[in-house]
């Protein structure tokens, strides 16, 4: 797997990451969602540099201009519900992409420290020979990303796969790296050192879904 940790170089991305982590600023759910969306835009822009382009000509009022234009059939898939703002940010840039949505959540069987990933709702177009962008803001254990990709396999074999995350734990990055082939790309805004006993990223930012849309009753 090719891992692109965008925070290794200083950019305006640092401001957005700082604000979604900040315990006071993140309480503003509208601002939190917008910052996740902005991060999606930055990651989408960086990812776009690795895609395929064809030479094209655009006619202007005063002449013709040569330019290379994107030539990928993109399917953008996000994991509900935390993935919605990230999806919107990516869709702002890849506005002709097809879209897929999947629900994947942690089910705690016996205690808060052990869980399995449950995949329920899934809506997806054909993935055959297309570019799949799989977006999940928090790459904690990596199990959700892998379970989602397995659930998508009946819809066809993508030509290429790009994973998009906002914040990940090194453990989760290692897990997806071992479960995706070496042609897969991971585009991520920041990588933290570890997980706590409940599988949350430390220092992370908390629960991205709750911060974006309000606390849920389900655990």
């Amino acid at each position: 797997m090719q891992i692109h940790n965008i925070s290794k170089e200083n950019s305006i991305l640092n401001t957005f990451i700082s604000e979604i982590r900040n315990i006071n600023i993140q309480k503003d759910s509208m601002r939190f969602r917008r910052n996740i969306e902005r991060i999606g835009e930055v990651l989408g822009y960086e990812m776009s540099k690795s895609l395929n382009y064809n030479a094209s000509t655009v006619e202007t009022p005063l002449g013709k201009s040569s330019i290379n234009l994107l030539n990928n059939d993109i399917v953008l898939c996000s994991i509900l519900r935390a993935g919605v703002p990230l999806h919107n940010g990516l869709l702002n840039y890849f506005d002709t992409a097809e879209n897929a949505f999947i629900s994947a959540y942690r089910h705690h069987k016996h205690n808060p420290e052990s869980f399995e990933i449950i995949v329920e709702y899934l809506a997806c177009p054909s993935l055959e020979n297309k570019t799949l962008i799989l977006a999940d803001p928090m790459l904690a254990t990596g199990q959700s990303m892998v379970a989602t990709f397995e659930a998508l396999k009946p819809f066809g074999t993508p030509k290429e796969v790009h994973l998009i995350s906002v914040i990940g734990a090194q453990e989760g990055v290692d897990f997806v790296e071992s479960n995706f082939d070496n042609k897969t790309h991971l585009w991520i805004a920041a990588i933290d050192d570890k997980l706590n006993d409940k599988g949350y990223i430390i220092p992370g930012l908390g629960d991205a879904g709750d911060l974006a849309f309000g606390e849920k009753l389900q655990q």
Side-chain angles (χ1 to χ4, degrees):
M1 175 180 285
Q2 300 180 56
I3 300 171
H4 311 271
N5 182 0
I6 309 304
S7 66
K8 285 186 174 181
E9 295 183 2
N10 289 328
S11 73
I12 191 63
L13 179 66
N14 293 4
T15 299
F16 307 145
I17 295 172
S18 172
E19 290 191 357
I20 62 173
R21 288 189 192 267
N22 188 298
I23 194 171
N24 296 310
I25 297 175
Q26 67 175 203
K27 293 176 181 178
D28 182 340
S29 59
M30 184 170 68
R31 188 169 180 178
F32 182 86
R33 291 192 302 270
R34 180 62 183 123
N35 278 327
I36 295 290
E37 186 176 337
R38 285 168 165 168
I39 293 170
E41 292 171 347
V42 172
L43 293 174
Y45 169 75
E46 293 294 334
M47 185 197 70
S48 73
K49 299 175 184 178
S50 71
L51 300 180
N52 300 317
Y53 291 80
N54 281 346
S56 183
T57 300
V58 177
E59 188 169 352
T60 79
L62 300 175
K64 294 183 179 181
S65 175
S66 298
I67 191 167
N68 295 328
L69 295 178
L70 189 65
N71 187 38
N72 288 70
D73 291 326
I74 293 174
V75 177
L76 172 56
C77 179
S78 293
I79 301 174
L80 301 174
R81 62 183 168 148
V84 172
L86 184 60
H87 187 104
N88 288 339
L90 292 163
L91 196 58
N92 287 344
Y93 279 20
F94 303 105
D95 51 2
T96 61
E98 296 179 275
N99 295 269
F101 296 93
I102 187 168
S103 70
Y105 66 91
R106 295 179 178 185
H107 173 62
H108 298 271
K109 288 184 176 180
H110 306 296
N111 62 71
E113 296 181 8
S114 65
F115 58 86
E116 62 177 338
I117 301 298
I118 303 295
V119 174
E120 289 185 341
Y121 174 82
L122 172 57
C124 184
S126 171
L127 300 176
E128 191 65 34
N129 206 35
K130 296 179 181 177
T131 298
L132 173 63
I133 301 174
L134 184 52
D136 189 8
M138 305 303 289
L139 183 58
T141 65
Q143 294 180 42
S144 294
M145 194 79 84
V146 172
T148 296
F149 187 64
E150 288 297 317
L152 294 174
K153 285 185 176 180
F155 294 87
T157 303
K159 178 174 63 176
E160 55 186 296
V161 178
H162 296 265
L163 311 180
I164 304 280
S165 288
V166 175
I167 296 176
Q170 188 60 54
E171 179 180 328
V173 172
D174 294 341
F175 184 77
V176 296
E177 185 175 16
S178 66
N179 281 275
F180 285 84
D181 66 43
N182 57 12
K183 295 181 180 179
T184 303
H185 292 259
L186 170 63
W187 305 87
I188 191 164
I191 299 176
D192 291 350
D193 292 335
K194 60 182 180 180
L195 300 171
N196 66 12
D197 293 338
K198 295 182 179 181
Y200 281 91
I201 300 169
I202 303 299
L205 52 76
D207 189 307
D210 286 357
L211 289 166
F213 299 110
E215 293 186 11
K216 57 187 177 297
L217 291 178
Q218 301 95 325
Q219 299 297 325

